[in-house]
Amino acid sequence: MKYGLGSLMLAGGLVLSFGVAYADVLMLTSSAIADNGTLAIKNACSDKQRSPNCVGENISPPLAWSGVPEGTKSLALLLFDPEGRAPAGVSHMVVYGIPASVTGFAEGELSQPSDKFVGGKSTMEKAVYFGPGTPPNTDWHHYTWTLVATDLDPKALQPGLTREELAAALKDHVKGSAGLVTRFKHL
C-alpha cells in the first residue's frame, strides 16, 4: 500500500508540475480567427491607389495573449507573409515596445498609431497594420503573427525599425515567443 500511495503522490506531483509549466507557456490567440483560419475581407488592405489587390477595409483582427514569461518588460508583434513577393516575403506589420501589462489589442486597434506600441516599418513602409493584398487567382497566402516577449524597456528601441533590424536589436533579449498562422486568398 505504501508503494501504491507513493506512486500516486509522485504521479500527482508530476501532473501538477506539468500543469504549472503549461500555464507559463506564452500563447497568442484571436477571438475572430482560429489558428490556420481565414482572415476576413475587412482585414485585407484598403489602399486601392497603392494596389488594386487591396479589397478590404484594413481592419486588424483582435489579438490576445497569456502566459507572458517572468521578467518580461515589453513585447513585439510581427505579421509576415512568406509567400508574398517570393522569395523575400512581405512584412505587413512590425510593432514593439508593447508594455508587459498589455494583454492584447481590440479589432482595428493595430490599424492606427497608439501609445500602446512603437511603430516599426513594414515592407510597405507603414508603422501600423497593413492587411493582405494578394493578387487575384493565386493560392492561399499564410500570414504568420509572431509575439515576442523581451527583457527590454518599452521605450528602449527607436521607432521605424524594420523586421530585420528588430530581430538584430532583440538578440539576447528574448524571453519567449508565440505564433498564430492565418490565411487569406483574393477570390
Side-chain angles (χ1 to χ4, degrees):
M1 192 63 125
K2 278 186 179 180
Y3 181 74
L5 182 58
S7 294
L8 284 174
M9 290 176 65
L10 176 62
L14 288 174
V15 168
L16 287 175
S17 67
F18 286 130
V20 171
Y22 181 74
D24 293 335
V25 172
L26 185 59
M27 299 286 292
L28 176 62
T29 60
S30 173
S31 59
I33 310 160
D35 197 23
N36 202 35
T38 305
L39 288 162
I41 293 290
K42 68 182 176 182
N43 301 132
C45 60
S46 61
D47 189 351
K48 290 173 183 51
Q49 290 183 338
R50 181 178 187 88
S51 171
N53 300 331
C54 289
V55 296
E57 301 170 47
N58 203 57
I59 298 172
S60 60
L63 296 169
W65 50 86
S66 60
V68 174
E70 188 175 326
T72 298
K73 294 181 182 174
S74 69
L75 299 125
L77 185 60
L78 305 139
L79 176 59
F80 188 72
D81 169 11
E83 291 96 0
R85 299 184 188 174
V90 175
S91 178
H92 281 263
M93 184 181 70
V94 178
V95 298
Y96 44 90
I98 303 164
S101 59
V102 173
T103 59
F105 291 104
E107 181 177 72
E109 195 171 3
L110 289 164
S111 301
Q112 55 199 0
S114 170
D115 60 356
K116 289 185 182 179
F117 62 81
V118 175
K121 187 188 323 181
S122 69
T123 301
M124 289 68 67
E125 299 190 2
K126 302 288 183 183
V128 295
Y129 173 83
F130 190 88
T134 58
N137 304 315
T138 59
D139 205 1
W140 292 98
H141 282 221
H142 296 83
Y143 294 84
T144 304
W145 302 81
T146 306
L147 179 69
V148 182
T150 82
D151 63 4
L152 293 173
D153 182 81
K155 302 295 181 196
L157 301 175
Q158 66 185 13
L161 297 179
T162 65
R163 181 175 178 262
E164 294 77 16
E165 291 168 337
L166 179 62
L170 294 182
K171 186 176 187 301
D172 300 325
H173 294 285
V174 175
K175 307 286 289 172
S177 63
L180 176 69
V181 176
T182 55
R183 299 176 297 130
F184 186 79
K185 181 177 182 177
H186 180 165
L187 302 174

